[in-house]
Amino acid sequence: MPQTPDIHGHCDPRFAAVGETFSANFRDHGEIGAAVAVVVDGDPVVDLWGGHADRDRGRPWERDTLVNVYSCTKGMTALCAHRLVCEGRLDLDAPVARYWPEFAAAGKERLPVRWLLGHRAGLAAVRDLLPGEALYDWDAMCAALAAETPWWPPGTAHGYHAVTFGWLVGEVVRRITGRSLGAYFREEIAEPLGADFRIGLPASEHGRVAEMSPLPMPPQDDDRIHLAALTPDRHPVRVIHQQVEAPPRETDADLVAISFVSGFAPEAYRVARRYRAQGKIVVGGGPHVTFAEEEARLHSDAIVTGEAEAVWATLLDDAEHGRLQPVYRSAPRPLDGLPTPRYDLLPDRFFIKRVVQATRGCPFRCSFCTVPSLNPGFRVRPVEQVLADIRYDSFKHWWQRKVVWFWDNNLTANRPFVRELLAGMVPLRKWWLTQTSLDIAGDAALLAMMRESGCIGVFFGIESFGKASLRDAHKTQNKAEKYEGAIRELHRRGICVMAGFVSGFDGDSQADIKAMAGDCTRPGWMCHSSAS
Ligand code: SF4
């Protein structure tokens, strides 16, 4: 379990609750490292820090550890502009073009400085596709924004200029002072105040910066807690999701099993190298290992391909008796008899912990999808066994007891099965989410049962609006002309829709991709993800 590290600094007794919550973040929520400071009327009443500045917990968090503060930098940028106002060098009602002549393009001749500071300039984005490096090129970004046509009539509406604010206001500061925003801020504000805040950090300070650690999402693949439930009691198991907790630098485990998808392969191999160097047995498994056996074998003492359940007990027995094989090929097995996953091993930091599988596989064969080869066929679990998982309620927080996330590829593919399951769920009064296919929108009886049993959200793989692309993807069950109506049917029943899109099919042009971005941001749609 996460430990509470030594907390340094001081905390006025009147603010003891702040100190307690700060500690609880480490103990209960897997905090890695943090600092908090509170100043009341110029009096610092809380100044605490603790933990580590890196995900591997090798570097202590110090009093002067620096963190990326994202949009707080907008406040510092605005401070620079306001200082120039105080000095009489900047007029908030003057046109931006008075200070930055190129900005007068595309009808912006009279746009006042005030609207840049108030996010009312209509310049929240750049339409042209720019190379990725442009983000680091001040002149390129300012030139693009100076040439841009406002996305709405300036001054008529407010829209958060999340990414462009720094260039827009910062360039005005630069034109007036002849100094970069970072230099002006440092010389006129930070240094006189003794403030350790930088806009642009010199390499000499990089060693003081804390690493970013990703936010915890629901456990995306629950094979770990399934395998833990299949592990004989004589082997204690610890489950670590790197989403919320870094693997310890050293472990007393005899065997470390690492499951991962392709995007995490480099990190998985790094962790594998570390544990193998300590003499641990490392076993690789999961989708990437299944599709890249030879590569995975270079980093593992053994690998498991396919669904691991059928070979897990044999592998553990072999490891225990010194006869571990390099490859365990697992064939899909019937799902009857799978134990309830070890939810107790998941950190409480996961908002949703009850991830349930009622079915496995998918009757469709979309060309880009790993499911048909990774989980061939379509199998269902006995309904009563699925309901037993859903009845498991030993969770700390009420929302963890309330919400069920079906981690199925297509829960509704077998209608008699899903009807029986939903009927059993009604009295349990849960909220649930799943992945499913668009054809459910035409099944009013099923939609009614979904609503009655507590469905709050579904994920659809919409993929594309283009007939040719859908044909490419073998996704002929999707009909673009029916998307809107299908989503409306779900919304009418209070069920939220998340949708996945794929851009970059062989026949997709840039214009198709732009059109798709427009289509899927129409009011009433909620875009979840896209990949290319
Ligand atoms: S419908 Fe979804 S899960 Fe099934 S094959 Fe297609 S993409 Fe994969």
Side-chain angles (χ1 to χ4, degrees):
M1 290 299 291
Q3 303 287 314
T4 305
D6 289 342
I7 305 294
H8 307 279
H10 77 273
C11 183
D12 185 308
R14 292 172 297 159
F15 291 81
V18 176
E20 281 155 21
T21 304
F22 187 73
S23 297
N25 278 347
F26 289 94
R27 189 184 60 239
D28 301 335
H29 302 291
E31 182 64 271
I32 298 171
V36 59
V38 180
V39 178
V40 177
D41 295 333
D43 182 20
V45 293
V46 178
D47 186 10
L48 298 173
W49 66 94
H52 295 90
D54 60 340
R55 277 184 288 168
D56 290 342
R57 292 176 160 81
R59 188 156 56 92
W61 191 292
E62 307 285 0
R63 185 165 194 266
D64 66 349
T65 291
L66 293 173
V67 291
N68 182 353
V69 294
Y70 288 98
S71 280
C72 292
T73 315
K74 290 188 175 72
M76 305 304 140
T77 304
L79 208 55
C80 293
H82 284 100
R83 186 184 166 94
L84 292 173
V85 173
C86 292
E87 291 172 353
R89 299 166 74 190
L90 173 63
D91 179 354
L92 292 179
D93 293 312
V96 176
R98 177 189 295 176
Y99 310 102
W100 179 2
E102 300 91 318
F103 190 86
K108 305 195 298 299
E109 301 85 347
R110 296 157 64 87
L111 194 153
V113 174
R114 181 181 295 283
W115 291 351
L116 298 185
L117 284 152
H119 300 260
R120 299 171 71 82
L123 293 169
V126 174
R127 287 182 181 78
D128 279 346
L129 288 177
L130 300 175
E133 317 81 75
L135 277 174
Y136 306 100
D137 183 337
W138 183 275
D139 291 336
M141 290 308 301
C142 289
L145 286 165
E148 189 62 61
T149 303
W151 289 68
W152 61 86
T156 60
H158 166 276
Y160 187 39
H161 288 43
V163 180
T164 57
F165 184 95
W167 293 298
L168 291 169
V169 178
E171 181 64 3
V172 173
V173 172
R174 189 173 79 98
R175 294 290 176 128
I176 294 172
T177 65
R179 286 180 269 176
S180 71
L181 177 71
Y184 181 78
F185 175 78
R186 184 180 68 245
E187 290 162 13
E188 303 298 333
I189 295 175
E191 285 180 355
L193 292 174
D196 195 6
F197 193 109
R198 325 293 176 102
I199 301 176
L201 194 66
S204 58
E205 302 296 327
H206 287 188
R208 292 169 54 203
V209 180
E211 280 179 12
M212 306 298 292
S213 181
L215 287 169
M217 302 295 284
Q220 300 238 325
D221 37 14
D222 56 341
D223 47 358
R224 300 160 185 83
I225 49 177
H226 272 120
L227 290 185
L230 287 166
T231 301
D233 287 346
R234 66 178 183 282
H235 301 304
V237 181
R238 181 174 170 202
V239 170
I240 296 172
H241 270 269
Q242 207 163 350
Q243 286 165 268
V244 297
E245 188 184 355
R249 293 194 73 74
E250 292 183 354
T251 175
D252 59 359
D254 302 302
L255 185 148
V256 178
I258 308 177
S259 171
F260 51 96
V261 294
S262 297
F264 297 109
E267 174 64 5
Y269 294 150
R270 191 178 70 84
V271 172
R273 269 197 301 280
R274 185 203 303 161
Y275 289 137
R276 290 182 93 190
Q278 292 169 24
K280 308 298 177 188
I281 298 171
V282 170
V283 177
H288 184 78
V289 171
T290 301
F291 295 114
E293 271 188 41
E294 281 182 26
E295 176 194 291
R297 283 182 63 179
L298 298 174
H299 302 276
S300 318
D301 298 295
I303 61 166
V304 178
T305 64
E307 299 173 8
E309 288 123 338
V311 298
W312 186 240
T314 308
L315 183 151
L316 290 179
D317 201 51
D318 287 353
E320 198 173 5
H321 294 98
R323 51 170 187 256
L324 192 72
Q325 305 299 306
V327 181
Y328 291 80
R329 292 186 210 288
S330 186
R333 51 166 267 181
L335 303 181
D336 189 2
L338 286 180
T340 293
R342 292 283 308 274
Y343 298 119
D344 57 303
L345 296 177
L346 285 176
D348 277 325
R349 209 169 162 214
F350 282 115
F351 185 77
I352 298 171
K353 289 177 68 171
R354 185 171 27 217
V355 181
V356 173
Q357 267 203 335
T359 69
R360 199 174 287 172
C362 178
F364 298 113
R365 298 191 65 79
C366 303
S367 60
F368 58 86
C369 182
T370 57
V371 169
S373 45
L374 193 63
N375 312 108
F378 182 75
R379 289 159 285 157
V380 301
R381 290 175 69 199
V383 165
E384 200 37 56
Q385 292 177 18
V386 181
L387 293 174
D389 289 4
I390 295 172
R391 284 192 202 100
Y392 177 96
D393 252 349
S394 300
F395 297 113
K396 181 174 179 184
H397 301 295
W398 71 265
W399 56 85
Q400 292 167 336
R401 294 190 288 275
K402 186 74 177 171
V403 178
V404 180
W405 192 301
F406 284 103
W407 206 255
D408 293 45
N409 303 117
N410 193 341
L411 179 69
T412 57
N414 178 329
R415 293 296 161 77
F417 169 80
V418 77
R419 279 197 283 271
E420 187 188 342
L421 174 64
L422 299 189
M425 285 184 68
V426 171
L428 303 182
R429 302 176 60 78
K430 301 294 184 192
W431 291 339
W432 61 271
L433 305 104
T434 191
Q435 192 165 264
T436 179
S437 46
L438 278 157
D439 58 309
I440 60 166
D443 188 338
L446 177 65
L447 292 181
M449 284 193 83
M450 288 171 67
R451 182 191 164 112
E452 192 189 354
S453 57
C455 182
I456 55 171
V458 297
F459 177 93
F460 287 140
I462 282 184
E463 327 304 4
S464 178
F465 292 81
K467 280 200 176 108
S469 299
L470 291 171
R471 210 170 30 245
D472 254 17
H474 301 169
K475 193 114 192 180
T476 46
Q477 69 271 26
N478 279 12
K479 308 282 179 228
E481 63 278 11
K482 295 194 171 168
Y483 293 165
E484 199 154 351
I487 291 169
R488 204 176 317 118
E489 287 303 315
L490 272 295
H491 283 175
R492 273 201 324 117
R493 291 165 174 86
I495 298 173
C496 154
V497 176
M498 294 162 277
F501 297 88
V502 179
S503 63
F505 284 110
D506 288 349
D508 279 349
S509 64
Q510 272 198 11
D512 292 334
I513 295 169
K514 279 188 175 173
M516 181 165 85
D519 279 338
C520 65
T521 52
R522 283 203 299 266
W525 288 59
M526 174 176 155
C527 298
H528 172 68
S529 62
S530 65
S532 59

